[in-house]
Amino acid sequence: MTSQAPTPAYRRLSVEERRSQLLEAALSLFAHRAPEEVSLDDVAEAAGVSRPLVYRYFPGGKQQLYEAALKSAADELRDCFDEPEEGPLLPRLTRAVERYLAFVGRHDAGFSALLQGGSVVETSRTTAIVDGVRRAAAEHILRHLGVEEPGPRLRMTIRMWITAVEAASLIWLDEDKQPPLEELRDWLVEQFVAVLTVTARRDAQTDTLVQALAADL
Amino acid sequence: MTSQAPTPAYRRLSVEERRSQLLEAALSLFAHRAPEEVSLDDVAEAAGVSRPLVYRYFPGGKQQLYEAALKSAADELRDCFDEPEEGPLLPRLTRAVERYLAFVGRHDAGFSALLQGGSVVETSRTTAIVDGVRRAAAEHILRHLGVEEPGPRLRMTIRMWITAVEAASLIWLDEDKQPPLEELRDWLVEQFVAVLTVTARRDAQTDTLVQALAADL
């Protein structure tokens, strides 16, 4: 009775594609419901595949799938920060923020789930995944700024800005992605410069950086 | 065998004082351990009282105590924002931030527990308590600024700043309350002005506010 031609949902995917598809489906489901309310059947249905297929990829079941989904999103998010260390600094940051916001827009509820780490099923492992991304973001910024030993004021400023960017992303999703990505991107980068400038008033290391940023433009 | 004179831990407290003492003890315990690892015996011991006394105040047991502890901290935090609507705006914000930081410093781990809502036992009720405080903070700021209908850019800016302040508070606790409270306070207020100024470049409502703030000084 089954047709010879595969249905779109069952079209032949590579192992990696299939895995990504399952992870994406899982992340969306976990974003909206507590894990105990998500069954592997739901994930299979959302991905348009059979339950045994989900098990074949994730023999550890739901917890394994959940953690793999978070980890995969976290890895993709880290990739956003990858930017060659060449050219003026602010355009580099602008490009990274643009990729980050595109990621946020693409994953939507999945992004909220990731950030909340997930709010519904936080474990020390999931929290570590999200904190790892935040740490990676801060390290990328410091590397691009050429700072090897950031003082506490500079470090705090960067962590505060990263948190503010996360908050902005969640609000942005809530507000149907308004303002447009390009405006939000530039706005966030300008805020970065503005808060560094405030810190520069009380921190020599940051002051040097702000002057370098200004000269670099 | 019991001495007539009450021991310091058992000294006679008013109902309200005793309740506060139990809530404070509970908040500190929940800050460090998952609720399933905290027993009412632990709370009684931390507060230096008997287990039946804890039950007398919180007949609903641990969950009631936990929620009451969060709610009490949230109420106290809200009180920090109370500031008469008179005099220049930035000194008002400065005083509110100072009270807030004093609260953070006083509660320490309990503050982290509150903010994390608690990270260890998040429920929709506990999340609502914390979100309520954040909302109250934003509303206070808007009222002081005299804004009745904030546009999305102004609202987003204020929410981002509130998130950044929360992040700063947690980092501050992690770093043994460095920099000193007064420096952090002024730094945060200056950041508020700086991010509003960035938003003013693309938002007429915020621009009017920033001009009023500058004139007010």
Side-chain angles (χ1 to χ4, degrees):
Chain A
M1 290 289 282
T2 34
S3 146
Q4 285 261 233
T7 65
Y10 275 90
R11 77 185 172 79
R12 209 161 179 80
L13 299 178
S14 72
V15 168
E16 260 322 296
E17 284 171 333
R18 178 66 78 198
R19 198 181 132 85
S20 301
Q21 183 207 14
L22 294 177
L23 291 175
E24 191 71 26
L27 200 58
S28 300
L29 288 172
F30 287 125
H32 295 294
R33 283 185 267 160
E36 58 272 21
E37 291 163 11
V38 176
S39 68
L40 284 186
D41 279 329
D42 296 331
V43 176
E45 194 190 327
V49 302
S50 68
R51 193 167 193 276
L53 192 141
V54 179
Y55 261 110
R56 205 177 322 140
Y57 278 79
F58 300 97
K62 209 157 64 173
Q63 182 64 22
Q64 187 195 6
L65 180 57
Y66 178 69
E67 286 187 24
L70 281 192
K71 201 171 164 314
S72 147
D75 287 346
E76 201 187 325
L77 196 45
R78 263 170 223 264
D79 289 344
C80 299
F81 310 146
D82 248 330
E83 174 68 32
E85 290 183 44
E86 40 187 60
L89 283 162
L90 289 180
R92 291 188 219 167
L93 182 61
T94 304
R95 286 189 293 270
V97 171
E98 174 160 336
R99 282 192 298 269
Y100 165 81
L101 290 174
F103 171 91
V104 172
R106 206 159 57 238
H107 287 269
D108 211 316
F111 172 76
S112 310
L114 170 67
L115 255 206
Q116 285 152 29
S119 67
V120 281
V121 61
E122 192 165 310
T123 68
S124 53
R125 274 216 295 273
T126 59
T127 308
I129 290 172
V130 178
D131 281 345
V133 176
R134 291 186 182 124
R135 231 182 348 264
E139 279 159 15
H140 274 277
I141 291 173
L142 288 166
R143 192 165 59 248
H144 282 275
L145 291 172
V147 176
E148 282 188 11
E149 297 194 9
R153 286 167 184 76
L154 175 58
R155 186 172 275 283
M156 198 193 258
T157 308
I158 289 173
R159 287 173 68 186
M160 288 172 72
W161 180 76
I162 290 171
T163 311
V165 169
E166 283 182 19
S169 313
L170 292 173
I171 298 169
W172 188 59
L173 290 178
D174 268 355
E175 304 201 338
D176 292 326
K177 301 178 192 166
Q178 285 302 317
L181 190 149
E182 293 72 22
E183 180 183 337
L184 180 57
R185 173 199 68 194
D186 292 347
W187 186 13
L188 294 171
V189 171
E190 288 173 38
Q191 286 194 16
F192 179 75
V193 177
V195 292
L196 275 187
T197 305
V198 169
T199 302
R201 291 178 202 152
R202 42 179 64 78
D203 184 58
Q205 183 182 40
T206 309
D207 191 42
T208 308
L209 277 180
V210 168
Q211 290 180 30
L213 282 178
D216 201 27
L217 277 176
Chain B
M1 290 290 283
T2 34
S3 146
Q4 284 260 240
T7 65
Y10 274 90
R11 77 187 172 78
R12 211 163 176 78
L13 298 177
S14 72
V15 169
E16 260 322 296
E17 284 171 333
R18 179 65 78 197
R19 199 181 130 85
S20 301
Q21 182 206 14
L22 294 177
L23 291 175
E24 193 70 27
L27 201 58
S28 299
L29 288 172
F30 287 125
H32 295 294
R33 282 185 266 160
E36 59 272 22
E37 290 164 13
V38 176
S39 68
L40 284 186
D41 279 329
D42 295 330
V43 175
E45 194 189 328
V49 302
S50 68
R51 194 168 192 275
L53 191 140
V54 178
Y55 261 110
R56 207 179 320 141
Y57 279 78
F58 300 98
K62 209 158 64 173
Q63 182 63 23
Q64 187 195 7
L65 181 57
Y66 178 69
E67 286 188 23
L70 281 191
K71 203 175 161 309
S72 147
D75 287 345
E76 201 188 324
L77 196 43
R78 263 171 223 266
D79 289 345
C80 299
F81 309 148
D82 248 330
E83 174 67 32
E85 290 183 45
E86 38 187 63
L89 284 161
L90 288 181
R92 292 189 219 166
L93 182 62
T94 304
R95 286 189 293 269
V97 171
E98 174 159 338
R99 282 193 297 270
Y100 164 82
L101 290 174
F103 171 92
V104 171
R106 206 158 58 240
H107 287 269
D108 213 315
F111 171 77
S112 311
L114 171 66
L115 256 206
Q116 285 153 26
S119 69
V120 280
V121 62
E122 192 164 311
T123 69
S124 53
R125 275 217 293 276
T126 58
T127 308
I129 290 171
V130 179
D131 280 345
V133 176
R134 291 187 182 124
R135 230 182 350 263
E139 279 159 15
H140 273 276
I141 291 173
L142 288 166
R143 191 164 60 247
H144 282 274
L145 291 173
V147 176
E148 282 188 11
E149 297 194 10
R153 286 168 183 75
L154 175 58
R155 186 172 278 283
M156 199 193 258
T157 308
I158 289 173
R159 287 172 69 186
M160 288 172 72
W161 180 76
I162 290 171
T163 311
V165 168
E166 284 182 18
S169 313
L170 293 173
I171 298 169
W172 187 58
L173 290 178
D174 268 355
E175 302 201 338
D176 292 325
K177 301 181 192 165
Q178 284 304 317
L181 189 148
E182 293 71 23
E183 180 183 336
L184 180 56
R185 174 198 68 194
D186 293 346
W187 185 14
L188 293 172
V189 171
E190 288 172 38
Q191 286 194 15
F192 179 75
V193 177
V195 292
L196 275 187
T197 305
V198 169
T199 301
R201 291 178 203 153
R202 43 178 65 78
D203 184 58
Q205 182 182 42
T206 309
D207 190 42
T208 308
L209 278 179
V210 168
Q211 290 181 31
L213 282 177
D216 201 29
L217 276 176

mmCIF file of all heavy atoms in Angstrom, chain B residues 3 24 46 48 61 130 162 165 193:
data_model
loop_
_atom_site.group_PDB
_atom_site.id
_atom_site.type_symbol
_atom_site.label_atom_id
_atom_site.label_comp_id
_atom_site.label_asym_id
_atom_site.label_seq_id
_atom_site.Cartn_x
_atom_site.Cartn_y
_atom_site.Cartn_z
ATOM 1 N N SER B 3 17.025 25.972 80.757
ATOM 2 C CA SER B 3 17.283 27.203 81.512
ATOM 3 C C SER B 3 16.080 28.126 81.394
ATOM 4 O O SER B 3 15.323 28.094 80.425
ATOM 5 C CB SER B 3 18.543 27.865 80.921
ATOM 6 O OG SER B 3 18.421 29.249 80.995
ATOM 7 N N GLU B 24 14.248 34.235 55.965
ATOM 8 C CA GLU B 24 15.645 34.544 55.648
ATOM 9 C C GLU B 24 16.496 33.271 55.676
ATOM 10 O O GLU B 24 17.301 33.013 54.780
ATOM 11 C CB GLU B 24 16.157 35.565 56.673
ATOM 12 C CG GLU B 24 17.472 36.214 56.326
ATOM 13 C CD GLU B 24 17.341 37.170 55.145
ATOM 14 O OE1 GLU B 24 16.248 37.714 54.911
ATOM 15 O OE2 GLU B 24 18.354 37.342 54.458
ATOM 16 N N ALA B 46 18.918 26.085 60.992
ATOM 17 C CA ALA B 46 19.551 27.333 60.568
ATOM 18 C C ALA B 46 18.975 28.525 61.326
ATOM 19 O O ALA B 46 19.683 29.490 61.626
ATOM 20 C CB ALA B 46 19.373 27.529 59.062
ATOM 21 N N GLY B 48 17.691 28.266 64.283
ATOM 22 C CA GLY B 48 17.826 28.021 65.716
ATOM 23 C C GLY B 48 16.487 27.853 66.419
ATOM 24 O O GLY B 48 16.303 28.304 67.561
ATOM 25 N N GLY B 61 4.328 23.449 54.656
ATOM 26 C CA GLY B 61 5.614 22.782 54.488
ATOM 27 C C GLY B 61 6.547 23.529 53.550
ATOM 28 O O GLY B 61 6.456 24.741 53.381
ATOM 29 N N VAL B 130 9.524 36.716 40.215
ATOM 30 C CA VAL B 130 10.711 37.455 39.773
ATOM 31 C C VAL B 130 10.373 38.384 38.611
ATOM 32 O O VAL B 130 10.808 39.542 38.575
ATOM 33 C CB VAL B 130 11.834 36.476 39.384
ATOM 34 C CG1 VAL B 130 13.048 37.239 38.901
ATOM 35 C CG2 VAL B 130 12.198 35.614 40.583
ATOM 36 N N ILE B 162 17.815 46.962 32.930
ATOM 37 C CA ILE B 162 17.465 46.229 34.158
ATOM 38 C C ILE B 162 18.151 44.859 34.164
ATOM 39 O O ILE B 162 18.708 44.425 35.172
ATOM 40 C CB ILE B 162 15.929 46.101 34.285
ATOM 41 C CG1 ILE B 162 15.334 47.486 34.596
ATOM 42 C CG2 ILE B 162 15.537 45.083 35.354
ATOM 43 C CD1 ILE B 162 13.811 47.543 34.537
ATOM 44 N N VAL B 165 21.756 45.319 34.933
ATOM 45 C CA VAL B 165 21.954 45.588 36.361
ATOM 46 C C VAL B 165 21.902 44.277 37.155
ATOM 47 O O VAL B 165 22.715 44.049 38.050
ATOM 48 C CB VAL B 165 20.894 46.597 36.877
ATOM 49 C CG1 VAL B 165 20.897 46.675 38.397
ATOM 50 C CG2 VAL B 165 21.140 47.975 36.279
ATOM 51 N N VAL B 193 22.138 56.334 31.391
ATOM 52 C CA VAL B 193 22.114 57.524 30.534
ATOM 53 C C VAL B 193 22.743 57.211 29.176
ATOM 54 O O VAL B 193 22.233 57.612 28.123
ATOM 55 C CB VAL B 193 22.849 58.696 31.223
ATOM 56 C CG1 VAL B 193 22.889 59.910 30.301
ATOM 57 C CG2 VAL B 193 22.183 59.038 32.547
#
